Every structure is written in structure tokens, then in C-alpha cells.
Amino acid sequence: MKGTSPARTVVTLALDAGGTFVKGGVLENGLLWPHLRLEQPSLSEADAESIIARLADLIIRLADAYMGSRLAPIPRVNFRIGAAFPGPFDYERGISWIRGLGKYENLYGLPVGTLLRQELEQRAFPAGSAPWMRELAAADIAFGNDAVLFGLGAAKRYPLERLLCLTLGTGLCSFLILRGQV
């Protein structure tokens, strides 16, 4: 069709904020790129600025690896960022309420999503930064409970099954998934 711009490729950068490591992967238009998986120490006991900078580091590394792995340049990329975070956490507003767990306590009461966006914006605008960095800095950022997101990921593999999901980390979590719904 003449005059229409090409559809944007939706690239989701998925993070799992664990107490020891932050892991990340990439989905393109909802499909996992299994060869693009990165991890780094989380520094979850560090000060808030260091934790946010560390999360931004992984996001940028994932985006850079994705953009560099493309055989042909993509004219239009719509980045999204999803972070699986332990609770307690206000997932809608992106605010951490973690205390007494020995991880991410210095984020207590802080707007993690806002701080992460500010860090990405700060890194996107200096001269010489990659052109896609501005798109990355404008990405939607969403948070979800790490255990629940694990279960929903397992349900993708077994969409019609009834699953009992158990996760063990700082605590123990259990829940049921019926046909892809928690």
C-alpha cells in the first residue's frame, strides 16, 4: 500500500531481577530469541543508584546484542521492557516495598520504573550514542511478580494443562495455572 510506513518490530527486553543475578532475554514480536540470553551479578545489596545503573546496563547490552545480531537493519523498532521482580512490590506503579530480605532493600519506596527511565534517557542523548538508544529510552516499562511470571512462562509450553507452580528463592511461592490463567 502506497504511503503507509512499515510496521514496527516490537522488541521486548525481559529481565529477571534475582538477588544474586539479573538475567535477560529478548523477544521479537512475541517470539523468544533463545540465543540472546545475558546475565550479570545483580548487586542487589548496593545503593539505589548502583542497582538502577546495573539494570540499565543489562537492558542496553540486550538491545545492543539484538540490534547487532540482525542480518539487515530494522527501520522501526518499538522497544518494551518487562522486569520480573520479587515482592513486595507495587507492580502497577513500579515501586519496591522490599525490606528484610537482604536484597533490593535500598530501592524501598522508590519509583524503580521512573528511575530506570531517567537512567536510560541520560545515556541515550550524549553525542555518539546509537540511534536506537532514543527508542530504548522511550520504551514502556512494566513490572510483574517473578514467581507468577515464571509460571506463566511454563504455561506457554503447556497451554491446555493444569499446572501447580512452585518457586523457591528467598521464600516459597505456590500457585495454580489453569489453561494459561493464574
Side-chain angles (χ1 to χ4, degrees):
M1 192 181 239
K2 279 189 175 179
T4 53
S5 55
R8 285 186 176 256
T9 299
V10 177
V11 177
T12 304
L13 307 174
L15 307 180
D16 177 16
T20 306
F21 290 98
V22 179
K23 290 140 313 261
V26 176
L27 293 93
E28 180 184 73
N29 296 326
L31 298 175
L32 179 66
W33 278 43
H35 63 281
L36 261 178
R37 184 184 180 283
L38 299 174
E39 74 175 45
Q40 64 189 27
S42 63
L43 304 181
S44 65
E45 295 178 12
D47 60 272
E49 294 81 16
S50 297
I51 294 170
I52 296 298
R54 196 73 173 156
L55 292 171
D57 289 343
L58 184 59
I59 290 166
I60 292 167
R61 286 178 54 217
L62 283 167
D64 187 48
Y66 170 80
M67 296 302 282
S69 69
R70 300 293 307 165
L71 297 176
I74 301 174
R76 299 173 59 87
V77 175
N78 184 16
F79 284 107
R80 295 189 296 189
I81 300 166
F85 234 88
F89 199 100
D90 181 338
Y91 297 106
E92 285 292 315
R93 295 177 31 212
I95 298 174
S96 174
W97 296 113
I98 298 171
R99 270 209 170 139
L101 298 179
K103 60 184 176 186
Y104 299 115
E105 292 186 25
N106 290 322
L107 295 178
Y108 183 84
L110 297 178
V112 176
T114 300
L115 295 172
L116 189 53
R117 176 167 320 290
Q118 290 170 350
E119 181 72 20
L120 292 170
E121 287 172 351
Q122 188 175 35
R123 295 184 191 199
F125 290 98
S129 47
W132 51 261
M133 281 290 294
R134 288 188 175 96
E135 294 288 333
L136 183 61
D140 287 335
I141 302 173
F143 296 90
N145 179 272
D146 55 350
V148 172
L149 291 175
F150 156 76
L152 290 172
K156 289 280 188 192
R157 183 156 179 120
Y158 305 100
L160 301 176
E161 301 295 323
R162 193 175 351 178
L163 303 174
L164 170 62
C165 298
L166 303 171
T167 61
L168 178 61
T170 304
L172 174 66
C173 181
S174 65
F175 53 94
L176 290 173
I177 295 186
L178 302 173
R179 294 182 185 88
Q181 299 295 316
V182 178

